Amino acid sequence: MRSNELQRIELKEYETRRFPKTEISEELGLKIWQSYGKQISIDEPSFKNGREWDLTANGWAGHIPLTPELEIALLPKVDIKNLFGMLEYAYRLKSFKFLDGLTDCDSLKDFYETLANFLALRVLDRGRKGFFRSYQPRRDKIPYVRGRFDVRRSCQKPWDVLPECSYEEHTSDVEDNQILVWTLQRILKSGACTERSLPQVRRAYQSLRGLTTPVPCDPQDCVSRLYSRLNEDYQPMHALCRFFLEQSGPSHRVGGRTMIPFLVEMAKLYELFVAEWLKANTPPDFVVEPHDEVVIGPGGRIRFNIDLVVYERGSQKALFVLDTKYKAPDHPGNDDISQVVTYATTKDCDEAVLIYPKPLNMDVMIGKIRVRSLAFSLDGHLEVAGRRFLEDLFSGVER
């Protein structure tokens, strides 16, 4: 690429772009292939492509700061407003009123930066009130007796004059705050924030850094947490942290800095969005169970993780087995059909449903199992598409 100016390559989902051989060096092509081969398919210049580079985005959206002179923007096929709507449901952000105005963003990078700014402002606001603290068990050698004194150890080592004590310390270095400071650190390294949000993110990070250890956290650390009146305002912050941690790619060096790309895997987002939308909108007589695991065979060696199962609340009977597929083929593939029929068999369920972003109009009987393809469209208004999908799903079911 030409130096001394920031170059931006835009790749739209599943579309191939061709670049002259002089635009991308072999060193840069190798870096894309080695670091982002999962997100970007790259074919080097050859007689097959007119001696040019072919780059294709593989179902991911986001931002990759590749070098100080080059960034790659992976653009989703989904309209940007609908992408925001998917993220709101998928990460349970919809109930948090601070998201008003996000639809004014015109790119995924703007959305990322706006959310980062929201998180930073919430952290700063909590810091003014005082960060959450709790009592944590400690065991240490200290110059005075505190809590329970280990007499046995003292007798065994009389030359060690410092008493070893077990006690509880009222501290802010707890997991609730560790999640926040770790996430803010990752955001600062992302390269996706500009001076519009960086000052707030830096201030929020520094406000916690002196009180809390930035321990590496997993996205699952942000969910199924217990909240009380003392830390209930942490719930939306942890929801945002989960979003940032799940969309952080592997770190790499850009110039003298460690950079963390922002990457959204669209297939996983679609699966999570459909699951959360159904949980929020399915009639109360039914229960939606995402990732329902089935263990069969001797020793439980055969395991299936089913995307979604809809149960009748009273009888606990499985009414539907659903599998989401973020792709747009001309017709459902044999592998998809075999998979969902197997899932339905393990749940003794008569209804197997494949969910695609566009209608494929399949409705067949395989033995006693009805196999359908239904569309949860990402075009147009998501709520309208969801209601249409729900109506199609329950057609023929007495409620």
Side-chain angles (χ1 to χ4, degrees):
M1 305 295 294
R2 292 182 295 273
S3 58
N4 301 324
E5 59 176 298
L6 181 63
Q7 301 289 323
R8 177 183 172 91
I9 291 178
E10 292 188 351
L11 301 175
K12 196 163 186 177
E13 199 176 356
Y14 296 121
E15 291 183 5
T16 299
R17 283 193 63 191
R18 188 161 286 181
F19 298 87
K21 186 176 181 179
T22 55
E23 285 292 300
I24 300 176
S25 67
E26 284 195 15
E27 180 184 8
L28 200 55
L30 179 63
K31 184 173 184 178
I32 294 172
W33 178 70
Q34 288 180 331
S35 301
Y36 299 102
K38 187 177 181 180
Q39 291 80 23
I40 303 170
S41 293
I42 181 168
D43 291 324
E44 61 186 329
S46 70
F47 67 90
K48 294 186 294 183
N49 54 22
R51 308 291 176 184
E52 295 186 318
W53 292 95
D54 281 349
L55 271 65
T56 308
N58 295 328
W60 293 71
H63 169 256
I64 301 173
L66 200 62
T67 72
E69 296 82 30
L70 173 65
E71 64 179 22
I72 299 179
L74 304 180
L75 309 178
K77 281 191 173 182
V78 179
D79 180 85
I80 201 72
K81 290 185 179 181
N82 279 352
L83 182 63
F84 299 161
M86 293 171 68
L87 290 165
E88 285 181 347
Y89 264 108
Y91 292 92
R92 302 181 186 178
L93 303 174
K94 198 171 181 65
S95 60
F96 306 135
K97 300 304 181 186
F98 61 81
L99 291 181
D100 293 344
L102 277 182
T103 52
D104 295 335
C105 302
D106 59 3
S107 72
L108 195 55
K109 188 176 178 182
D110 288 343
F111 180 75
Y112 180 97
E113 183 170 17
T114 303
L115 281 184
N117 192 54
F118 277 128
L119 176 61
L121 292 175
R122 287 228 160 194
V123 170
L124 290 169
D125 183 58
R126 177 67 205 217
R128 285 188 285 269
K129 300 173 186 175
F131 290 111
F132 176 66
R133 302 166 71 91
S134 70
Y135 286 96
Q136 298 293 308
R138 297 282 189 265
R139 184 180 179 88
D140 201 1
K141 290 190 288 185
I142 53 179
Y144 52 87
V145 175
R146 181 181 179 184
R148 190 174 65 187
F149 171 42
D150 191 339
V151 177
R152 183 177 179 179
R153 182 191 175 282
S154 182
C155 292
Q156 290 174 339
K157 298 182 179 181
W159 58 86
D160 192 347
V161 296
L162 290 178
E164 185 165 318
C165 302
S166 299
Y167 58 96
E168 288 192 336
E169 183 180 23
H170 197 226
T171 177
S172 57
D173 195 7
V174 296
E175 192 175 46
D176 278 352
N177 294 320
Q178 289 168 355
I179 291 171
L180 298 180
V181 72
W182 176 253
T183 303
L184 289 167
Q185 185 183 83
R186 302 281 290 181
I187 292 171
L188 285 172
K189 292 180 177 180
S190 70
C193 294
T194 66
E195 288 304 317
R196 179 166 64 92
S197 62
L198 273 176
Q200 288 90 332
V201 177
R202 288 195 190 104
R203 282 169 49 217
Y205 174 72
Q206 292 301 329
S207 70
L208 272 168
R209 181 64 182 88
L211 304 172
T212 306
T213 309
V215 177
C217 297
D218 186 87
Q220 290 306 307
D221 294 331
C222 305
V223 298
S224 301
R225 303 187 62 81
L226 296 177
Y227 299 97
S228 67
R229 62 179 181 83
L230 298 177
N231 68 339
E232 60 187 1
D233 57 339
Y234 276 70
Q235 188 172 2
M237 291 192 288
H238 288 157
L240 287 171
C241 289
R242 179 192 171 194
F243 165 78
F244 286 114
L245 294 177
E246 285 197 336
Q247 314 313 329
S248 294
S251 61
H252 63 269
R253 301 290 294 181
V254 175
R257 293 192 296 158
T258 300
M259 303 295 280
I260 300 173
F262 166 53
L263 294 165
V264 179
E265 188 174 359
M266 294 300 297
K268 284 188 176 180
L269 176 61
Y270 183 61
E271 176 188 326
L272 190 55
F273 161 67
V274 171
E276 292 297 331
W277 192 95
L278 280 177
K279 286 171 67 176
N281 293 279
T282 297
D285 292 340
F286 305 93
V287 178
V288 178
E289 287 291 341
H291 294 289
D292 202 341
E293 187 174 60
V294 178
V295 181
I296 58 177
R301 286 178 293 181
I302 301 175
R303 294 173 178 264
F304 295 117
N305 192 313
I306 305 173
D307 280 0
L308 291 163
V309 181
V310 178
Y311 292 94
E312 191 174 43
R313 187 177 293 276
S315 66
Q316 290 300 301
K317 174 178 171 53
L319 294 181
F320 305 104
V321 167
L322 307 105
D323 200 36
T324 52
K325 301 294 182 184
Y326 183 74
K327 50 188 176 182
D330 294 329
H331 53 81
N334 290 341
D335 289 345
D336 293 348
I337 296 171
S338 300
Q339 182 183 38
V340 77
V341 169
T342 301
Y343 289 167
T345 303
T346 64
K347 302 300 291 186
D348 193 23
C349 178
D350 298 335
E351 292 268 358
V353 180
L354 291 165
I355 306 171
Y356 295 93
K358 74 171 191 177
L360 299 183
N361 302 318
M362 180 188 72
D363 191 340
V364 298
M365 295 297 298
I366 300 179
K368 69 169 187 175
I369 299 173
R370 181 189 184 192
V371 185
R372 290 183 288 164
S373 66
L374 295 180
F376 196 127
S377 177
L378 300 179
D379 299 325
H381 198 287
L382 290 181
E383 295 298 329
V384 173
R387 288 193 294 271
R388 186 179 298 119
F389 167 78
L390 205 59
E391 183 178 330
D392 292 340
L393 178 66
F394 281 95
S395 62
V397 176
E398 293 185 8
R399 285 188 276 169

